[in-house]
Amino acid sequence: MFEILRNFFNFCDKENRNKFYASIVLGVVNSFFMALRIAAIAVMMQGLIRTITQGEPFTTRTIWLSFAIMIFSVTAAIITKKTISMWQTEGGYRTCAKKRIEIAEHLRYIPMGYFNKNSLGQITSVTTNTMELVGDVATRAVMLVMQGLLDSALIIVMIFFFDWRIALVALAGFLLFQAVNVFMRLSVRGVSEEKNIADENQISKILEYIQGIAEVRAYNLTGSRSAELNDVINQAKKVCLKMELCCIPIAAIQSLVAKMSGVAIMLASLFFYLQGTMPLENCAVMLVCSFMLFTALEAGGNYSALLRTIDIGVKKAQAILDVPTMKIISNEQLAMSNEQLKELSAQNISFAYDKKKIIDGVSLNIPARTTTAIVGPSGGGKTTLCHLLSRFWDVDSGTVTLGGKNVRDYDMDSLMSNFSFVFQNVYLFHDTIANNIRFGEPNAPMERVIEAAKKACCHDFIMQLPNGYDTVIGEGGASLSGGEKQRISIARAIMKNAPIIILDEATANVDPENERDLMEAVRELTREKTVIMIAHRLKTVRNADQIIVLDKGKIAEQGKHDELMKMNGIYAHFIDSRKKAVSWKL
């Protein structure tokens, strides 16, 4: 248990960890104030018993002394308990918030390959379920368990001042209770792992179902896909029930041990009194203590079964934070203007994903203010090469340089400020169209947003929307067509005005009637810039300064359009097949 508690506290940031430590210290004080009730009861019992057995007058001084101790105990306990609860609540929820932000920031600098290896459901589960567990359940469970231990320990210490024999009985009950508690945590160890896996699978399947709902309906798979989703949800339900059913019998035994320990204290007290080895007033106090002793411990014990689940969740979150990032901070800042453009080069770079080599010994030079087109068969590594050049991923071997300096030597954020991307699959955020356009420059005035939209040929359709630029679009741009999303993406890149532009099939989703205007927008975007484009259209690549033909991760051909056509190789066959496809008629 203490290992779990240590992991939890280490997971918290320093500020909130100190709040938890302070709450534990104050918890000791609170337990002392709670234990003072025994002293108040003892004063009252002694006065009553002496009046009954010895005929001594029951003075108001005894009443007021007992009353004063009780009032002080209750008042101080309430004040300290309130402070403890506030510190714990703040510590829990602020830890949750900070860790979510920390994980989000950490994910920014993790190589993109991590997201291929790890399902979206797993990452989402950690940032939602696990963080919720830390912010709410973990804080409550950890602190209740700790408070139960402290309260019971201090009451047992207090009992030692009255009768050491009863204190030993109480201590034996306390240790037996802890033994059952340990058995409970060991029993749920396997189920806790199952629960975390079930939660991840459930979120993953729900996300998959929602994101693929169009394909599910189009292929009339609603019933079967719903059945898969229902199976995952039912499995999560079964695991939760399994965990509860595993805990309930042991919790009942734990509760029985607590109750029987109280009975043992009562019987031992009566026995010692009848034997004449314990004063009547002490016996009465011990009878009262038998009801008080295990109340807090039992409350904390009921939460202790969650400690294993919490520990697994915390370790999963920490595992994400422990994933090595690319070198992200350097003294070398890089913020180029269009006049400061530098040569981008790759020297014998290689990259493998899951032991499958995607890029194999590629070397190329991209001079400033030139256009480089990358073409080749599907799966040849074109997009991966662009990701390596822009340092979305780090190469396994070789070097990528910008201006003669390894890109790893630059500060990551300043390096990325020099790249703009327009992908084939555009992602827009659940926000206004204006904010999506100014995404790379959040404080840009509206005039610049409109100017960028006009250059990207999307001003007209935006103005036809209900709220114009203030129209909130669905997550991922679900409320817009593919061509509309593409144009907003280009407007976003125009707004950023980075000196290096990477276009990954940027015009693939554009309807024919808008293609001419959009090509003009692309020319506006790329004017006086270094351009790297992945394209399959002849009109897009033929005027490039150099064309790289990538096949099976290697450069198969390289040159200008006319030079490559004379080779009669992959590129020539590629162009010939495109011409045939364009001329095909129904």
Side-chain angles (χ1 to χ4, degrees):
M1 180 180 70
F2 291 106
E3 178 70 20
I4 293 174
L5 296 176
R6 188 180 69 177
N7 290 339
F8 172 75
F9 290 134
N10 288 340
F11 181 72
C12 301
D13 63 284
K14 183 178 180 180
E15 179 185 354
N16 292 300
R17 183 165 59 244
N18 289 338
K19 273 189 169 60
F20 287 125
Y21 288 158
S23 69
I24 292 172
V25 173
L26 195 59
V28 176
V29 178
N30 176 263
S31 297
F32 172 76
F33 290 140
M34 296 287 286
L36 275 181
R37 292 176 298 173
I38 298 175
I41 294 169
V43 169
M44 184 65 73
M45 288 293 183
Q46 286 175 357
L48 287 172
I49 291 171
R50 285 173 183 172
T51 298
I52 295 171
T53 60
Q54 301 175 19
E56 294 182 4
F58 190 72
T59 63
T60 56
R61 181 179 178 278
T62 302
I63 297 174
W64 282 113
L65 179 59
S66 176
F67 183 71
I69 295 174
M70 184 63 75
I71 288 295
F72 176 74
S73 171
V74 172
T75 303
I78 289 173
I79 293 172
T80 53
K81 185 65 177 176
K82 175 182 177 295
T83 306
I84 290 168
S85 297
M86 288 301 300
W87 286 350
Q88 291 170 3
T89 302
E90 289 177 5
Y93 285 115
R94 286 180 179 176
T95 294
C96 173
K98 286 187 176 182
K99 285 299 176 180
R100 278 190 172 124
I101 294 171
E102 186 179 345
I103 289 172
E105 286 295 311
H106 190 76
L107 290 174
R108 289 178 56 202
Y109 302 109
I110 291 177
M112 295 296 292
Y114 173 83
F115 301 98
N116 296 333
K117 298 175 184 177
N118 298 272
S119 73
L120 185 59
Q122 179 185 351
I123 299 171
T124 305
S125 178
V126 169
T127 54
T128 54
N129 289 0
T130 300
M131 289 301 100
E132 186 66 24
L133 197 68
V134 170
D136 187 9
V137 180
T139 302
R140 187 174 305 161
V142 168
M143 302 320 296
L144 278 174
V145 170
M146 292 290 294
Q147 196 63 46
L149 291 172
L150 290 172
D151 287 351
S152 301
L154 277 175
I155 291 174
I156 292 172
V157 170
M158 187 71 77
I159 292 174
F160 266 104
F161 288 100
F162 289 89
D163 193 294
W164 64 270
R165 297 167 299 180
I166 302 301
L168 290 178
V169 174
L171 182 60
F174 177 84
L175 295 176
L176 183 59
F177 182 94
Q178 290 304 315
V180 177
N181 195 262
V182 169
F183 179 69
M184 176 189 287
R185 291 198 300 274
L186 292 175
S187 298
V188 300
R189 176 182 293 177
V191 185
S192 297
E193 181 64 35
E194 284 184 47
K195 185 180 184 305
N196 277 277
I197 293 173
D199 286 343
E200 290 176 6
N201 291 340
Q202 183 175 223
I203 291 177
S204 181
K205 187 59 68 174
I206 289 172
L207 287 172
E208 177 188 331
Y209 186 82
I210 294 172
Q211 291 171 340
I213 192 65
E215 284 74 13
V216 170
R217 293 181 65 182
Y219 289 92
N220 198 27
L221 295 172
T222 307
S224 61
R225 302 304 289 185
S226 295
E228 290 182 20
L229 179 61
N230 291 339
D231 288 343
V232 171
I233 293 173
N234 286 329
Q235 180 60 30
K237 179 192 72 174
K238 289 178 182 178
V239 171
C240 288
L241 288 173
K242 181 180 178 181
M243 189 172 198
E244 290 297 323
L245 292 173
C246 180
C247 291
I248 287 172
I250 305 174
I253 296 172
Q254 189 172 251
S255 180
L256 180 63
V257 168
K259 299 293 190 298
M260 294 308 296
S261 296
V263 171
I265 292 172
M266 293 173 63
L267 294 175
S269 300
L270 291 171
F271 175 78
F272 293 139
Y273 168 70
L274 294 173
Q275 291 292 317
T277 59
M278 177 184 288
L280 179 58
E281 57 268 28
N282 284 9
C283 179
V285 172
M286 293 301 100
L287 293 178
V288 174
C289 287
S290 67
F291 291 96
M292 295 172 52
L293 178 58
F294 293 101
T295 303
L297 187 64
E298 192 174 2
N302 291 334
Y303 276 90
S304 63
L306 291 173
L307 292 180
R308 179 59 60 181
T309 303
I310 293 166
D311 189 46
I312 292 172
V314 164
K315 286 179 178 177
K316 284 182 179 292
Q318 191 60 50
I320 293 179
L321 293 172
D322 289 339
V323 173
T325 60
M326 297 183 290
K327 182 183 177 184
I328 58 177
I329 298 175
S330 170
N331 294 325
E332 292 288 342
Q333 302 290 314
L334 178 65
M336 297 186 299
S337 66
N338 291 338
E339 291 74 29
Q340 298 171 320
L341 281 175
K342 301 175 181 178
E343 182 180 74
L344 180 63
S345 301
Q347 294 85 37
N348 196 31
I349 62 173
S350 296
F351 177 80
Y353 169 65
D354 279 349
K355 298 182 180 180
K356 178 183 178 182
K357 186 156 282 191
I358 308 298
I359 299 297
D360 187 5
V362 169
S363 297
L364 58 88
N365 293 313
I366 301 175
R369 298 182 189 83
T370 63
T371 297
T372 297
I374 303 175
V375 301
S378 178
K382 301 183 295 295
T383 298
T384 301
L385 177 59
C386 288
H387 285 165
L388 294 172
L389 292 174
S390 57
R391 212 194 165 198
F392 268 33
W393 293 330
D394 272 334
V395 296
D396 293 336
S397 62
T399 57
V400 176
T401 61
L402 182 57
K405 186 180 291 291
N406 194 320
V407 293
R408 296 187 185 189
D409 294 333
Y410 291 115
D411 173 82
M412 186 65 160
D413 287 336
S414 69
L415 175 67
M416 293 307 298
S417 69
N418 296 281
F419 289 88
S420 279
F421 303 87
V422 180
F423 298 111
Q424 179 178 1
N425 298 318
V426 177
Y427 189 89
L428 301 179
F429 295 89
H430 183 67
D431 203 341
T432 64
I433 287 179
N435 286 340
N436 269 282
I437 293 175
R438 61 161 68 99
F439 183 73
E441 196 173 339
N443 298 321
M446 197 64 201
E447 293 77 13
R448 288 190 57 203
V449 172
I450 294 173
E451 180 185 358
K454 287 180 177 178
K455 289 181 179 179
C457 308
C458 53
H459 176 73
D460 291 340
F461 86 76
I462 292 174
M463 295 307 296
Q464 294 174 7
L465 296 173
N467 297 310
Y469 284 87
D470 292 326
T471 302
V472 176
I473 57 179
E475 184 178 351
S479 57
L480 300 176
S481 71
E484 290 170 340
K485 289 192 291 184
Q486 199 78 57
R487 280 178 276 170
I488 289 177
S489 176
I490 291 175
R492 185 161 61 191
I494 291 174
M495 171 67 72
K496 186 178 180 183
N497 195 31
I500 302 174
I501 310 295
I502 295 181
L503 306 172
D504 188 349
E505 288 290 353
T507 60
N509 294 324
V510 179
D511 43 272
E513 56 267 28
N514 289 315
E515 183 177 358
R516 185 182 64 181
D517 291 337
L518 193 60
M519 291 302 296
E520 179 59 36
V522 171
R523 281 191 289 272
E524 180 67 30
L525 168 66
T526 58
R527 196 184 308 277
E528 293 299 313
K529 291 180 170 62
T530 300
V531 181
I532 305 168
M533 64 169 67
I534 298 173
H536 293 143
R537 299 188 181 190
L538 174 59
K539 65 178 71 174
T540 306
V541 302
R542 71 176 302 154
N543 295 321
D545 296 296
Q546 67 171 331
I547 301 169
I548 306 293
V549 182
L550 206 62
D551 184 27
K552 297 179 181 178
K554 296 184 178 182
I555 295 179
E557 299 172 6
Q558 184 174 357
K560 292 191 174 184
H561 172 76
D562 293 337
E563 297 170 350
L564 295 178
M565 290 300 293
K566 291 177 182 179
M567 294 181 185
N568 197 30
I570 296 176
Y571 180 79
H573 292 299
F574 165 75
I575 294 299
D576 184 55
S577 64
R578 290 294 166 183
K579 286 181 178 178
K580 291 179 180 178
V582 170
S583 63
W584 187 86
K585 295 181 180 180
L586 183 64

